[in-house]
Amino acid sequence: MKTVSIGSLKIGGKSGGAGAFPIIAGPCSIEGKAHYLHTGNFLKDLGIQVLRGGIFKARTSPHSFQGIRESALEWLPQTKKDLGLPLVSEVNDPRQIEVLDDFLDCYQVGTRNMFNYELLKELGKTKKPIILKRGFAAMIKEWLLAAEYLVQSGNEEIILCERGIRTFEPLTRNTLDLTAVAYLKQNTHFPVIVDPSHAAGDSALVIPLAKASKALGADGILVEVHPEPGKALSDGDQALDFEGMRNLYHSLQDKPSIAPIYKNKSEVQIQV
Ligand code: PEP
Ligand code: MN
């Protein structure tokens, strides 16, 4: 299986190549075997090295699609192996860890669960990298304290993911806090990635936000892609279609004109 480096961490194994600017891409939700293979093969051919895809979904409304859940287990582990790409997926509950640990390469803690300390304590006992998304109303300090829960339980392989915060602005789904990315690059040793899809809530805004993230010195991005966004079972408005994904991929191959240099000071001191 391929491996990709995100900052100092590796997803999918302990050795292997690194993308210049790693892109983790895939659907918001895995919708079935054909959907997974269709999207996964497209992304693999494009050069994407890590897939994302929700299995257990944390939805604001209980009436919304809750994910393919346990029914994926019949086919997903083997299909994922055949495709040969590492997979990132969200874990919502400590009971899901055992189910997912056999075949996931990296856990994602979603925005709604950043404050779920019992989950963090259990997840910290695992040996795989963890993408820790920022709570949509979390201060940077609270986010770092959530990371501390993982560290305290034994897992330091943490990738922080800025995915937008809730502000007074209603015209975008969230407000992407690029200042937080710069702050974290300057003040912590954790790799920092950006999720422009959930920040924007609109596929038309994803490419500019991704480019800004790269220019700022983020360690990569996490984006949502769907073969037919209009038919997606979750987050269709923000999903890139295949053409959009191709455009994103190619627009990120250019080098930024000014590469930012952060003089990483030391571990940030968190006062509790
Ligand atoms: C997701 O990645 O599909 C997701 C639910 O993200 P967030 O937790 O940032 O809303
Ligand atoms: Mn989503």
Side-chain angles (χ1 to χ4, degrees):
M1 186 171 53
K2 299 211 172 176
T3 302
V4 66
S5 298
I6 312 274
S8 55
L9 300 183
K10 293 194 191 309
I11 297 178
K14 295 291 170 202
S15 62
F21 183 68
I23 304 171
I24 302 169
C28 178
S29 300
I30 294 173
E31 298 177 6
K33 185 172 176 179
H35 171 253
Y36 182 76
L37 279 173
H38 184 203
T39 314
N41 275 313
F42 162 74
L43 292 169
K44 187 175 167 179
D45 291 347
L46 187 63
I48 297 300
Q49 292 171 301
V50 184
L51 289 188
R52 61 145 289 147
I55 299 166
F56 296 99
K57 294 299 299 176
R59 306 302 302 283
T60 302
S61 166
H63 307 295
S64 301
F65 177 61
Q66 299 288 308
I68 190 164
R69 308 179 78 83
E70 282 84 357
S71 71
L73 304 177
E74 286 167 25
W75 58 269
L76 184 55
Q78 187 57 46
T79 307
K80 187 221 128 189
K81 216 169 175 178
D82 295 343
L83 190 67
L85 286 183
L87 180 63
V88 177
S89 195
E90 183 173 348
V91 57
N92 295 295
D93 181 302
R95 289 168 295 186
Q96 292 164 5
I97 297 173
E98 202 185 335
V99 177
L100 297 170
D101 203 56
D102 275 348
F103 66 98
L104 274 197
D105 302 281
C106 173
Y107 289 104
Q108 176 178 315
V109 175
T111 196
R112 293 164 185 78
N113 273 311
M114 191 213 83
F115 287 107
N116 184 343
Y117 300 128
E118 296 304 320
L119 172 65
L120 299 178
K121 285 182 203 171
E122 284 306 307
L123 208 49
K125 296 178 190 165
T126 65
K127 306 273 177 252
K128 291 177 183 164
I130 300 164
I131 293 174
L132 178 63
K133 286 196 166 194
R134 182 182 187 177
F136 57 77
M139 294 185 286
I140 296 170
K141 190 161 129 182
E142 292 168 318
W143 189 10
L144 290 169
L145 286 167
E148 281 289 315
Y149 269 99
L150 296 169
V151 171
Q152 209 176 59
S153 297
N155 193 328
E156 297 191 10
E157 301 215 340
I158 301 161
I159 298 161
L160 299 171
C161 179
E162 163 61 39
R163 47 78 70 203
I165 50 175
R166 183 172 287 175
T167 66
F168 48 78
E169 178 53 66
L171 295 181
T172 53
R173 186 174 183 186
N174 290 284
T175 297
L176 182 62
D177 185 2
L178 288 176
T179 312
V181 178
Y183 177 86
L184 292 166
K185 289 300 297 174
Q186 177 71 14
N187 290 289
T188 78
H189 296 290
F190 296 123
V192 186
I193 63 171
V194 171
D195 171 352
S197 306
H198 290 87
D202 175 353
S203 58
L205 305 180
V206 167
I207 294 181
L209 295 183
K211 288 174 86 167
S213 305
K214 184 181 179 194
L216 192 69
D219 294 293
I221 52 167
L222 176 82
V223 282
E224 290 190 341
V225 183
H226 195 283
E228 292 180 271
K231 295 187 180 164
L233 297 182
S234 57
D235 286 352
D237 290 348
Q238 66 199 33
L240 295 170
D241 61 13
F242 287 180
E243 193 193 344
M245 185 62 214
R246 244 181 247 116
N247 291 341
L248 170 71
Y249 184 82
H250 294 299
S251 68
L252 291 175
Q253 301 310 307
D254 310 329
K255 287 207 160 45
S257 47
I258 305 166
I261 299 166
Y262 296 102
K263 293 197 182 108
N264 194 298
K265 285 185 249 166
S266 62
E267 291 298 334
V268 69
Q269 295 297 308
I270 305 164
Q271 304 296 326
V272 281

